[in-house]
Amino acid sequence: MNKKLTINSDTFIWTKNKKGLIYNSQNGNYLLFQLTDEIEKICNHLNDYDNLYNIIVDINNLKSKTKEFVQNITNKKLGILNEIDKDIISLPPLLNVLNDIERLKKDKTRSESENILKYLSILTFYTGGKCKYSDYYKQTFYPYCSDIILAAEKIIDFLGTIESPYLNSINIVISDIANYSDLFSLTDYLKTLHRNITVYIHYSDVLSNINILDKLTIDNLIIKIICEADKNIKNILSHCKGKPYRYNFLVKNEKEYNICEQLAETLQSGYYTIVPIFDNNLSFFENNVFISEDDVLDTKLNKREIFAHQAINTNFFGLLSVLPDSKVYSNVNCEALGTINDSVYNLILKEFHNNYSWQLLRNQKPCCDCLFQWLCPSLSNYEFVTGKMNLCNYNND
Amino acid sequence: MNIMKKIKITGNNIEDLLINLGQITLEVTDACNLKCKYCAYGDLYSGYDVRENKYLSFETVKTLIDYLSELWKSKISTSQIPKTHIGFYGGEPLMNIKLIKKTVEYIENLNIRRNFAFIMTTNAMLLDRYMNFLVEKKFNLLISLDGDSEGQSYRVNHSGRNSFDIVYRNVKLLQAKYPQYFEEHVEFNSVLHNRNSVERTFTFIKNEFAKKPTIAELNSFGIREDKIDEFYATYNNKAKSLYSSDNCDKLSDEMFVGVPQTKELFSFLKYYSGNVFVNYNYLLFDKSKLKYITTGTCSPFSRKLFLTVNGKIIQCERIHHSFALGNVENGKVNLDFEYVATRFNAYLDKLYKQCLTCFRKQYCNQCFYSIPGIDGEKPTCNSFMNKEDFEEYKMRCLNHLNKYPKLYKKLMTEAFTE
Ligand code: SF4
Ligand code: SF4
Ligand code: SF4
């Protein structure tokens, strides 16, 4: 008996290495299955866009595995079975970005005249200064130690060239607050911009500079304190009680995690974040950071979010960082795009041409062979510092 | 609860739009060496300034360009080197070639960080005389040609003679003399009427000039009451004409988004499939939470600025001249950004109640300037859609897709107009 099987719009069908996944991005329902020859044929037919997610199946003559597959699809509301003469139109997910970067790259005058500034949303400046911290700035907001200092004047000049309503956040990561003499001229300037401003400082700088922090506490400026678990931290937190600071707790093992979690209990939710740090502690990462199949499938992603994973790196897109030597990066783990003296347009264009990070996708091994390729979060700094492209417990075999 | 908030534009928005202005269209003359039966200035239509064989003066153009240059110099634009197209429009623009040459020279010598490109719509009657200049300045030319000799027969000169022979000869000359320019910079537009057909026009231009023309129906807005019968006798529906052709499927495939239903389908997919994104930023947030302007009217100067032969400043050449937003007069540009914004907002306000319950409000493409009686107390938008209308529209689009399923992939991978 012939029936028409129609997969719902907004539902993705992925197949890799004899396995398959049908994922409904409207409600998170999914079906994992083995690809038999017959099922593979059906999937290939459905994934041909010209068929608009329709296939005629001879229900009674399907192999038992295939029959079960079709039943699962209808039971899980991933698709429906209908009479063959019923016209049901379904639109398979297929991304079309009208202002596609590939076309922009090919056309020089277009890339000059197009408003590419709109893609820049977050700028981070590392002021630098004398200190002896680790290089955790490659993973998260963390002071950068250097002899050179990024003068406030340079930051202000650079920001003056960026007239864009799309730039919504500016971060300043300060290494040695007591000796960053231009701090107030910088914050006075930042106050005039209608953007979210966050100043990051290391907890060890807090107690001796509490007056400076008090003066910094202004309307559109958030102070975030980078905390590491040591015996002093409790003391610092109690000093800061009642102040509107936010906290990033950096943790490298379970013990630190427990300490920070305890400390965090005294803070308002939303005022702190726990940030795992990779430092020769792979097993901590494996147990706590790596994602599992369940993690991936439990995170319900809508179609837009999946498309985003297919086109851009959602962690890095729109970000530029400036190190104390004035070099500008789309990601501090990659090569510099240029310096703060270059035009911001050229910096952005260079990122589009070189694709250091903004469009870094999970399209390389092992993720390209994985069913969860587009469900998994975009690559993050952890992949850079661990040198491992998949931070997961998923076995693709 | 309806969360649609009234969104208004401000004087500052208008200034920003002028700073990033992408096109200035100059009506260089209202005179024409042809007297096409269906011309917007012809006797079928009302609503345009009476044609007086006027020529736009260079002084007026210079005043406008100087005014804009000052603005461009004083503010940072959102692109590295902004580009502005200068369009020459008529009447027949080549009848005022003196002004065109002077304007081009003036613009080329502006000391300003901005790229310019020139565009022109022409009937090609004078092309033989001026083609060297147009080629040298890399004009993008849009040639009006309604197909073969019979198709062109409404495009007559002042003594009623069909312009086909001259136009055909001139265009062929251009093609032979400057083949590369012709390939890169020349396009055709054709008006559909009762003496041609989509198939004949498309095939003729494709065979003769290796180009795919844009085919437009007669403009049905602003018809004089006493000319309605005549209008309908001349009018030809594009879809009907296409579907009555022998080669309909092949032709539809070649015309792609030039087919009205395919165009409508693309717009449907663009707005309602959830698969089309204007740019990468839209992938990062939920667009449905954004505020949006009701009606599909473009904000003044977001697409272009139109300067009429009488010095009126209008937001485009397609709308009634009574919607002028300012003017150039006695060496001065009179354009009050606040007034422009207020006036625009007032039209939005008038339609607000109706738009609020309209099912296409989020993705409307109705320009309010073409809503009859928009200047009256309570204008009624004829494009309003209730739930049933919207379902019908949706079904119409999906049925077209059902008929031509291959369009889906093609539209999603090859159609990019915003
Ligand atoms: S292999 Fe890659 S895509 Fe697959 S689960 Fe691991 S990280 Fe995600
Ligand atoms: S017709 Fe209306 S929407 Fe279209 S360009 Fe002109 S003013 Fe804008
Ligand atoms: S179609 Fe008319 S009523 Fe509907 S949103 Fe557009 S302008 Fe308003």
Side-chain angles (χ1 to χ4, degrees):
Chain A
M1 185 184 41
N2 280 348
K3 289 272 187 185
K4 188 189 265 183
L5 173 68
T6 309
I7 303 298
N8 294 338
S9 298
D10 297 342
T11 299
F12 291 79
I13 304 177
W14 293 298
T15 58
K16 305 262 181 187
N17 305 330
K18 294 284 156 205
K19 283 194 279 193
L21 168 64
I22 302 186
Y23 185 87
N24 183 332
S25 64
Q26 261 178 14
N27 52 22
N29 286 359
Y30 63 86
L31 175 67
L32 279 163
F33 52 94
Q34 292 293 325
L35 270 189
T36 62
D37 288 350
E38 197 173 44
I39 296 179
E40 188 169 18
K41 258 196 196 151
I42 294 181
C43 290
N44 289 345
H45 181 95
L46 290 169
N47 270 337
D48 177 347
Y49 295 110
D50 293 349
N51 298 319
L52 297 175
Y53 261 0
N54 282 305
I55 185 167
I56 309 287
V57 284
D58 182 357
I59 283 290
N60 297 336
N61 289 319
L62 290 176
K63 294 198 169 119
S64 67
K65 281 241 164 82
T66 317
K67 214 179 213 167
E68 191 188 321
F69 168 73
V70 173
Q71 253 159 21
N72 280 334
I73 288 180
T74 54
N75 290 346
K76 289 179 181 260
K77 302 203 166 31
L78 302 165
I80 39 171
L81 269 183
N82 259 303
E83 299 310 318
I84 51 170
D85 54 358
K86 184 131 192 194
D87 278 342
I88 298 199
I89 298 217
S90 189
L91 305 173
L94 175 55
L95 173 64
N96 177 352
V97 179
L98 298 174
N99 282 294
D100 177 64
I101 292 299
E102 290 312 310
R103 266 172 292 128
L104 183 83
K105 285 199 288 202
K106 280 186 206 134
D107 183 343
K108 186 168 170 286
T109 53
R110 189 168 153 207
S111 60
E112 278 173 355
S113 62
E114 181 140 330
N115 170 12
I116 55 168
L117 256 191
K118 65 171 167 268
Y119 295 120
L120 174 63
S121 56
I122 303 178
L123 257 174
T124 302
F125 296 92
Y126 293 83
T127 63
K130 291 221 162 58
C131 52
K132 283 205 178 101
Y133 302 124
S134 315
D135 61 357
Y136 298 158
Y137 73 93
K138 293 186 173 173
Q139 303 177 46
T140 181
F141 296 107
Y142 196 79
Y144 183 97
C145 300
S146 62
D147 291 335
I148 317 173
I149 282 181
L150 183 63
E153 205 185 359
K154 283 192 177 174
I155 300 179
I156 294 170
D157 284 352
F158 186 58
L159 287 172
T161 64
I162 306 173
E163 185 111 341
S164 166
Y166 298 91
L167 173 64
N168 47 43
S169 302
I170 297 169
N171 304 308
I172 312 284
V173 187
I174 300 184
S175 305
D176 176 10
I177 193 163
N179 291 312
Y180 192 63
S181 54
D182 298 339
L183 181 63
F184 290 107
S185 63
L186 177 61
T187 50
D188 281 348
Y189 171 76
L190 294 176
K191 267 190 270 184
T192 63
L193 306 176
H194 297 282
R195 326 242 190 228
N196 303 317
I197 314 285
T198 308
V199 172
Y200 288 86
I201 74 156
H202 195 257
Y203 74 101
S204 61
D205 255 359
V206 170
L207 285 188
S208 46
N209 296 295
I210 208 93
N211 300 347
I212 299 183
L213 294 189
D214 281 346
K215 276 202 233 162
L216 278 184
T217 313
I218 47 165
D219 293 350
N220 62 341
L221 191 147
I222 291 171
I223 295 175
K224 270 201 183 168
I225 305 199
I226 303 160
C227 301
E228 293 177 71
D230 82 4
K231 41 187 181 318
N232 234 337
I233 187 81
K234 213 170 166 179
N235 181 21
I236 293 168
L237 280 186
S238 64
H239 257 88
C240 296
K241 215 169 171 194
K243 301 204 188 268
Y245 308 151
R246 318 275 165 105
Y247 302 88
N248 278 4
F249 291 105
L250 275 40
V251 299
K252 297 188 284 296
N253 50 48
E254 272 90 358
K255 196 173 148 216
E256 290 183 354
Y257 179 82
N258 292 333
I259 297 175
C260 289
E261 213 182 31
Q262 261 183 17
L263 289 170
E265 274 172 18
T266 62
L267 301 169
Q268 243 177 294
S269 78
Y271 272 65
Y272 68 91
T273 314
I274 291 187
V275 184
I277 289 292
F278 181 75
D279 196 347
N280 286 321
N281 50 349
L282 194 61
S283 67
F284 170 67
F285 262 62
E286 280 170 356
N287 296 331
N288 299 286
V289 179
F290 278 32
I291 42 175
S292 65
E293 181 175 320
D294 287 346
D295 293 335
V296 178
L297 289 168
D298 287 348
T299 319
K300 292 192 165 78
L301 293 188
N302 62 32
K303 185 163 70 167
R304 174 183 55 78
E305 290 165 322
I306 295 172
F307 280 153
H309 288 161
Q310 294 178 333
I312 56 175
N313 183 304
T314 56
N315 291 316
F316 302 143
F317 192 84
L319 276 60
L320 288 183
S321 301
V322 185
L323 289 186
D325 59 1
S326 298
K327 287 195 175 141
V328 181
Y329 300 79
S330 63
N331 182 305
V332 290
N333 291 292
C334 307
E335 268 179 56
L337 297 167
T339 76
I340 205 167
N341 301 318
D342 293 317
S343 102
V344 67
Y345 301 97
N346 286 344
L347 296 168
I348 297 172
L349 254 191
K350 190 154 175 204
E351 171 55 26
F352 280 132
H353 278 281
N354 293 4
N355 189 21
Y356 291 129
S357 71
W358 284 15
Q359 292 186 282
L360 215 54
L361 309 179
R362 289 203 180 273
N363 51 7
Q364 35 200 308
K365 279 197 181 288
C367 301
C368 60
D369 297 325
C370 177
L371 281 178
F372 305 133
Q373 182 182 17
W374 305 125
L375 290 179
C376 259
S378 286
L379 292 165
S380 69
N381 281 333
Y382 295 131
E383 275 86 348
F384 279 108
V385 292
T386 58
K388 220 173 135 3
M389 276 306 151
N390 61 326
L391 301 183
C392 66
N393 301 315
Y394 187 64
N395 183 351
N396 283 314
D397 300 332
Chain B
M1 191 182 70
N2 201 309
I3 55 157
M4 187 170 97
K5 296 217 181 72
K6 270 194 200 182
I7 169 161
K8 292 185 183 278
I9 58 166
T10 63
N12 282 345
N13 295 147
I14 301 294
E15 185 180 34
D16 283 345
L17 289 166
L18 281 174
I19 290 163
N20 295 295
L21 187 63
Q23 182 166 341
I24 302 168
T25 301
L26 304 169
E27 188 189 27
V28 297
T29 176
D30 64 352
C32 190
N33 42 11
L34 293 183
K35 201 169 183 238
C36 305
K37 177 166 174 193
Y38 52 67
C39 174
Y41 292 98
D43 56 5
L44 281 183
Y45 296 91
S46 61
Y48 291 85
D49 287 346
V50 186
R51 189 187 287 220
E52 292 168 333
N53 289 338
K54 278 200 174 175
Y55 290 80
L56 185 64
S57 76
F58 177 66
E59 271 317 303
T60 307
V61 175
K62 182 175 173 297
T63 306
L64 178 70
I65 302 283
D66 288 348
Y67 167 87
L68 289 169
S69 304
E70 278 314 306
L71 195 65
W72 293 337
K73 278 188 214 154
S74 68
K75 302 272 167 134
I76 306 178
S77 85
T78 53
S79 53
Q80 186 171 23
I81 308 179
K83 185 172 186 175
T84 301
H85 290 88
I86 308 290
F88 298 98
Y89 186 80
E92 168 50 37
L94 287 177
M95 291 185 69
N96 195 359
I97 187 75
K98 235 167 99 188
L99 172 90
I100 296 173
K101 284 189 171 170
K102 260 182 136 174
T103 303
V104 168
E105 192 192 334
Y106 190 70
I107 282 177
E108 283 180 338
N109 290 313
L110 279 178
N111 187 11
I112 195 166
R113 199 175 155 73
R114 205 171 187 98
N115 289 322
F116 292 94
F118 304 107
I119 49 185
M120 182 189 290
T121 308
T122 177
N123 62 24
M125 292 290 285
L126 296 170
L127 199 56
D128 51 340
R129 280 198 233 168
Y130 304 124
M131 66 173 68
N132 296 348
F133 168 76
L134 300 176
V135 172
E136 187 201 328
K137 300 299 176 192
K138 292 204 179 77
F139 267 68
N140 283 321
L141 275 195
L142 184 61
I143 297 176
S144 309
L145 174 65
D146 292 354
D148 55 24
S149 181
E150 192 196 344
Q152 181 80 350
S153 62
Y154 281 130
R155 303 185 64 84
V156 293
N157 69 11
H158 288 258
S159 32
R161 200 167 148 202
N162 187 338
S163 60
F164 180 80
D165 291 345
I166 298 176
V167 171
Y168 180 78
R169 186 199 66 207
N170 284 350
V171 180
K172 275 286 173 202
L173 188 67
L174 179 70
Q175 187 184 23
K177 208 167 157 193
Y178 299 107
Q180 198 186 341
Y181 166 84
F182 191 86
E183 197 186 317
E184 291 168 5
H185 295 277
V186 177
E187 296 299 337
F188 289 83
N189 71 352
S190 313
V191 174
L192 186 67
H193 45 66
N194 61 338
R195 291 188 190 162
N196 60 10
S197 71
V198 168
E199 185 179 20
R200 250 176 54 212
T201 310
F202 191 87
T203 318
F204 179 82
I205 292 178
K206 196 178 146 229
N207 291 346
E208 290 291 334
F209 304 112
K211 298 275 177 184
K212 294 179 180 177
T214 310
I215 300 179
E217 290 175 2
L218 287 173
N219 176 11
S220 59
F221 187 66
I223 308 291
R224 273 173 45 181
E225 289 276 322
D226 58 327
K227 294 283 181 183
I228 288 182
D229 289 346
E230 197 178 326
F231 172 81
Y232 280 109
T234 320
Y235 177 84
N236 188 353
N237 178 285
K238 189 170 169 186
K240 262 197 194 151
S241 171
L242 172 67
Y243 292 125
S244 64
S245 61
D246 300 337
N247 256 328
C248 174
D249 283 356
K250 192 168 164 268
L251 197 57
S252 301
D253 195 40
E254 281 192 83
M255 287 172 66
F256 191 33
V257 279
V259 175
Q261 283 83 349
T262 305
K263 192 173 168 201
E264 187 179 41
L265 171 64
F266 183 52
S267 134
F268 175 82
L269 292 174
K270 213 158 65 170
Y271 298 138
Y272 300 104
S273 69
N275 290 346
V276 184
F277 295 78
V278 173
N279 63 49
Y280 294 95
N281 286 346
Y282 286 84
L283 289 166
L284 291 167
F285 59 87
D286 184 356
K287 197 169 70 177
S288 66
K289 301 216 165 83
L290 279 185
K291 286 192 198 169
Y292 50 87
I293 287 194
T294 44
T295 89
T297 323
C298 63
S299 302
F301 313 127
S302 60
R303 291 194 189 152
K304 60 175 75 162
L305 178 155
F306 179 53
L307 179 70
T308 73
V309 76
N310 294 317
K312 289 183 184 172
I313 293 174
I314 310 184
Q315 74 183 73
C316 94
E317 71 283 4
R318 273 180 283 181
I319 62 178
H320 200 293
H321 289 191
S322 63
F323 297 118
L325 301 167
N327 67 3
V328 182
E329 208 175 34
N330 305 326
K332 210 176 143 236
V333 172
N334 303 304
L335 192 62
D336 175 348
F337 302 157
E338 289 305 328
Y339 165 78
V340 173
T342 311
R343 186 166 164 182
F344 188 87
N345 292 333
Y347 288 127
L348 289 180
D349 269 356
K350 273 193 195 181
L351 293 163
Y352 182 70
K353 260 201 176 149
Q354 207 180 352
C355 295
L356 203 61
T357 55
C358 177
F359 268 72
R360 67 192 293 197
K361 61 174 176 264
Q362 207 165 349
Y363 302 111
C364 163
N365 57 9
Q366 172 66 51
C367 171
F368 60 52
Y369 292 115
S370 55
I371 292 179
I374 186 70
D375 270 322
E377 281 279 298
K378 274 197 180 152
T380 308
C381 171
N382 294 329
S383 306
F384 173 88
M385 279 189 189
N386 61 22
K387 195 161 184 250
E388 291 80 58
D389 299 332
F390 185 79
E391 279 306 311
E392 198 187 309
Y393 156 69
K394 184 173 155 188
M395 283 326 293
R396 193 167 65 233
C397 295
L398 293 180
N399 284 339
H400 184 62
L401 183 58
N402 201 20
K403 213 164 146 196
Y404 302 99
K406 285 189 170 30
L407 273 178
Y408 183 61
K409 186 170 157 197
K410 197 168 171 190
L411 283 169
M412 297 305 279
T413 53
E414 293 173 30
F416 298 111
T417 41
E418 256 186 63

